[in-house]
Amino acid sequence: MFELGVVYRNIKRADRAAADGLATFGSATVHEAMGRVGLMKPYMRPIYPGVQISGTAVTVLLQPGDNWMLHVVAEQIQAGDIVVAACTADNTDGFFGDLLATSFKARGARGLVIDAGCRDVKTLQEMGFPVWSRAISSKGTVKSTLGSVNIPVVCAGALVHPGDVVVADDDGVVIVPAAMAQKTIDAASAREANEGEKRAKLASGVLGLDMYKMREPLEKAGLRYID
Amino acid sequence: MFELGVVYRNIKRADRAAADGLATFGSATVHEAMGRVGLMKPYMRPIYPGVQISGTAVTVLLQPGDNWMLHVVAEQIQAGDIVVAACTADNTDGFFGDLLATSFKARGARGLVIDAGCRDVKTLQEMGFPVWSRAISSKGTVKSTLGSVNIPVVCAGALVHPGDVVVADDDGVVIVPAAMAQKTIDAASAREANEGEKRAKLASGVLGLDMYKMREPLEKAGLRYID
Amino acid sequence: MFELGVVYRNIKRADRAAADGLATFGSATVHEAMGRVGLMKPYMRPIYPGVQISGTAVTVLLQPGDNWMLHVVAEQIQAGDIVVAACTADNTDGFFGDLLATSFKARGARGLVIDAGCRDVKTLQEMGFPVWSRAISSKGTVKSTLGSVNIPVVCAGALVHPGDVVVADDDGVVIVPAAMAQKTIDAASAREANEGEKRAKLASGVLGLDMYKMREPLEKAGLRYID
Amino acid sequence: MFELGVVYRNIKRADRAAADGLATFGSATVHEAMGRVGLMKPYMRPIYPGVQISGTAVTVLLQPGDNWMLHVVAEQIQAGDIVVAACTADNTDGFFGDLLATSFKARGARGLVIDAGCRDVKTLQEMGFPVWSRAISSKGTVKSTLGSVNIPVVCAGALVHPGDVVVADDDGVVIVPAAMAQKTIDAASAREANEGEKRAKLASGVLGLDMYKMREPLEKAGLRYID
Amino acid sequence: MFELGVVYRNIKRADRAAADGLATFGSATVHEAMGRVGLMKPYMRPIYPGVQISGTAVTVLLQPGDNWMLHVVAEQIQAGDIVVAACTADNTDGFFGDLLATSFKARGARGLVIDAGCRDVKTLQEMGFPVWSRAISSKGTVKSTLGSVNIPVVCAGALVHPGDVVVADDDGVVIVPAAMAQKTIDAASAREANEGEKRAKLASGVLGLDMYKMREPLEKAGLRYID
Amino acid sequence: MFELGVVYRNIKRADRAAADGLATFGSATVHEAMGRVGLMKPYMRPIYPGVQISGTAVTVLLQPGDNWMLHVVAEQIQAGDIVVAACTADNTDGFFGDLLATSFKARGARGLVIDAGCRDVKTLQEMGFPVWSRAISSKGTVKSTLGSVNIPVVCAGALVHPGDVVVADDDGVVIVPAAMAQKTIDAASAREANEGEKRAKLASGVLGLDMYKMREPLEKAGLRYID
């Protein structure tokens, strides 16, 4: 694990329908449905707002200041994938721009999640190729040191196996292990089932204190009201 | 002060007209009108741009990773309030989302200022419920430890008493002590009175050096011009 | 060098046509065309997106919390300049707002790059005066300590001589030494000449691995494919 | 509150015996004894290790890059005081060095807590004058803008009133409101009373799980053991 | 994986001799011997210098501001273990102090690596119980929410499985998968075998340029010497 | 300037006596003597305390994660030099360890200032080879991309020309341009001349307010005393 210089060509992707279906719930609901685990750190931000996607992870481990492996991973992309790029050190260089995005898109990628920097953000938005990154930077990179493709990686604090489901939106990025994809859809659906009713109650002025029956536990915990 | 587990129900809010009137000036002018004090640190950013509001502070002290007290504070909101949420430790979890926003809005809150994270940002923008936060994060929170409501809190470096006026816009967040609200409006108005004239002069090419009569003090301070 | 309390009035600006022409390439291409040097650190971000400019640098060195020298530099601005403001210490105060922007614009400035904070961002966007800064903050500043104008400065990690070309867009800010402006345009043009062809190939599904003939060097470096 | 340009000469210091007595407990125990409130943020670090002190707060509000008010506060120091210095903006300049330390020490100060930078750290250690700061920096400061002395300040996220008790050691800095000093000593003493017994039990291999009777609540919370 | 509320009691620890033997090499050599992978981020620092240890990982996943699971993990410690504590969110609270250290030590733990804060650092040094942490803080924690024990965790960017080998010293912390422990010892030994000879040559003035035969590849890469 | 792939072999070093003499003053006094300019940012810290040195700068520009040029710069070191290493991107990898230190020391280097990471810190302290760095990290680096030697570099925000004087101690690092070395010694000497007298006065209880005659300017600035 975490070996350098290897490309795994055959990965087991999560069930396609489940991978696609998770997009509708968004990262917050999916994270809750999984039992509050699986999130990347909040420094990972979309380079432009308003996109909500899901897809299967193709992973790549990069070296600082070196984007060689992004060309290697391009070949492993299949339609419906999202590339997840980790780096062996904290680095904000602009590893990815419009040419690579053109290539990734042509291969069927839905987006990129990169724990490093991205550039050509204006063009990427015009192309409609979404990226979540830790930085935006014009800084160019070299192509001289090997990383790996489709090994498990730690990206922004989250463990990602190739084939896992990536759910990304304006709130952040969450990873669903491939084997849990369908179960997570079910849990997310159940969670959202009565949200409309809750929202209507709250909108009418009912308090969460009452709707969730919190008054007793709060009192038990010692909460005192002072007039 | 800073006691945990208490909710003060009766707070003295700043004069309503003054609290409402401060919105028109924006945070920079209000901060200057107060004598350059009262600002939160600049890491507090709006989750979407273009909003400029003011209102009376209802305060809440949260525990890291625990949003229980946001349900408690909801009951204390009155029309025209802005909730100011501090946390006992630096934390970026997503304490606040669309359901709580629905409840806060129904109670009459104009917005939320939270020294922690927020989620559901796309929905919050669609709802028109503005939030200023230190982070955006899908990370969910628990409901198990008490904080307090309507005690004085330190939020993003600013001391906030319940009832103070909060002024928030794209430039940041400033707190006006309730007793200074009207005086601050007066000072802000005076400050803006001749801004139009100044702007016209500067637009016509007059230099600040001349308009503000800075040449003499600069020379006195030792400024040398070299050709 | 780096002396305080001086204003150089006669600076040698880069060739106007070259300085103007660099805008079309953007910061990433210009940085590559220069041999991957000259970039400011990525914490310098535009206060609003979508602007891509170039111009000649007029430099100013500020003291923390003190914007006096911004009034001094205003007088040295000529049409086509971009003001580059460094600070003797890390500081996020709001040194610059709409009044100074009105003055800078009247003098012919195309924008401001400031290694400190900026305020009135909504008005600046309405005015169409672009700023790249390390922070947005309402915090006001004093006018009491001298810095310098048109000395070489280090701004966000980049060395800037007065008269150098500044290229700034959504990806960041790059500095082109005045003497290299034309040569950089040539290199940038050459670089972009066959980008269209490359993009078309990549869009059609050709891999960078093949287009850039990377397979052999990757194999030589030891890359192994595992099925 | 938070007015600039004022020096309060008569402050009510916490009871001397209580202020002195809190040193023996250290910041962690005192913080617990107060109900887990009152701490400064953990970026406040001692410039050299091994010191554990307490004393009464004399406060000062500084402007960024300007240490003028440190000379003003010197005059207000009495034996047994600890100076607490806040700043109107985040700033790491070296506001304080060996000359000011000589003066503070001559006035009876026990140390300095400063939400900014400090210099001459080697000499300060030789002198035995402890400082807690956010940074160490050679950067000099000017003397030109007023702050205030003995107003309430927010220092590293903690509210400090003049006369409050400051407890500082290798773990951090905690503020005890003057009126709570004796009560906090009592609570801290009670807390430490049976620590020796607890420590002996734990050292003998008894588990906290048993000593604190945590097994049942853990099981109730749903903890599952898997072999 | 990453499930909450579970404690795995039976973990497969790395070979004891290999786990113990890795300490002599230190984190830098071990990291190189593994092929430059496995490191935690450099924000993980020892709370006191001069310790170099290795041992088998017992893992624990904590919730922000909640150290309940540290009591749970204590029971799972065996002689020769090092506890590795991850947290579901970035948090600097003081989760660990001298009482827990007494318990851990009594159970045979050699140290703690915690991606959060630690307190009682002076006492811990006196006890000789080493800790690597992201912060030092007096901030106390609660005991109310479940995490897990002996699941794989991501700690400071490194993936850690229970039973892996932890190597920690003044340079940082590296994780060696249990299955690679012996192989890594071999590689590290080979690496150090000729270090003495290299050091002697360098000490005598021989250049790395010559010793490593770098002159030709540098020239080939285009390096130019200018007199 | 800032060209990559070049090594300048003939640099003009500052006058040896002046370069050596500046060590006695330390970074804070030298920075003041230069007129408060020339400092590196305070994130540059010594890897062990208690060293105060000066010497002539030999500069090197590194690529992120690549320490190849440190071997190239070794050949250019002369007795009395201090190596100043900048990096084209923010990077904390461990570029430098005991083998390179052995080589540098054999060539006559007095120390290293590196805007990146360092490792083997325990051995470096035992060897007595001081380093100022932005980080400590075991992370290894590759040797594949060219930087440059003895070009002007920006290191931690300071411009450094080869041959400049570097003054480094526990307070930080300051750069004195070669041509200003003697003048700076004179100014520093003058500054220290009457420090003894000042210190004695302050130690006897005389206030800076009186010694520096600040009472009148403070009153003029509007300072009010309130009893």
Side-chain angles (χ1 to χ4, degrees), chain A residues 12-23:
Chain A
K12 189 169 165 37
R13 285 170 172 83
D15 174 73
R16 175 55 45 201
D20 293 354
L22 280 162

Side-chain angles (χ1 to χ4, degrees), chain B residues 198-206 208 211-212, chain C residues 47-48 67 70-71 73-74 77 81 83 95-112 118-131:
Chain B
K198 278 189 200 167
R199 195 173 285 109
K201 275 193 187 171
L202 292 170
S204 75
V206 174
M211 193 171 79
Y212 298 115
Chain C
I47 60 168
Y48 58 90
N67 77 344
L70 287 179
H71 289 280
V73 75
I77 295 170
D81 285 340
V83 178
F95 286 73
F96 185 86
D98 66 331
L99 285 180
L100 269 165
T102 302
S103 179
F104 277 30
K105 205 176 174 181
R107 306 293 296 182
R110 289 180 182 160
L112 168 71
C118 171
R119 60 186 188 179
D120 298 335
V121 297
K122 199 176 164 190
T123 310
L124 293 176
Q125 182 165 13
E126 288 162 5
M127 288 174 61
F129 191 85
V131 177

Side-chain angles (χ1 to χ4, degrees), chain E residues 27 171 199 224 226-227, chain F residues 6-7 9 98 119-120 138:
Chain E
S27 64
D171 290 343
R199 196 173 285 108
R224 289 173 301 124
I226 298 173
D227 290 319
Chain F
V6 294
V7 181
R9 271 192 287 227
D98 68 331
R119 61 186 188 179
D120 299 333
S138 297

Side-chain angles (χ1 to χ4, degrees), chain A residues 194-215:
Chain A
N194 59 351
E195 282 232 329
E197 192 188 344
K198 278 190 202 168
R199 195 172 285 108
K201 274 193 189 171
L202 293 169
S204 75
V206 174
L207 287 164
L209 288 178
D210 298 309
M211 193 171 79
Y212 298 115
K213 299 190 194 311
M214 290 174 173
R215 292 193 190 273

Side-chain angles (χ1 to χ4, degrees), chain D residues 11-25 53-58 76-83 107-111 162-167 176-182 185:
Chain D
I11 63 171
K12 190 169 163 36
R13 285 171 172 81
D15 173 72
R16 174 55 44 201
D20 292 354
L22 280 162
T24 64
F25 299 100
I53 60 172
S54 65
T56 35
V58 171
Q76 307 307 318
I77 294 170
Q78 295 185 3
D81 284 341
I82 293 174
V83 178
R107 305 293 298 182
R110 289 179 182 162
D164 284 351
V165 184
V166 181
V167 183
V176 182
M180 288 178 60
Q182 187 54 52
I185 284 207

Side-chain angles (χ1 to χ4, degrees), chain D residues 62-67 70 87 91 93-97 100 114 116-117 141:
Chain D
L62 303 166
Q63 302 287 357
D66 191 313
N67 77 344
L70 288 179
C87 186
N91 190 256
D93 292 355
F95 287 73
F96 184 86
L100 270 165
I114 181 166
T141 49

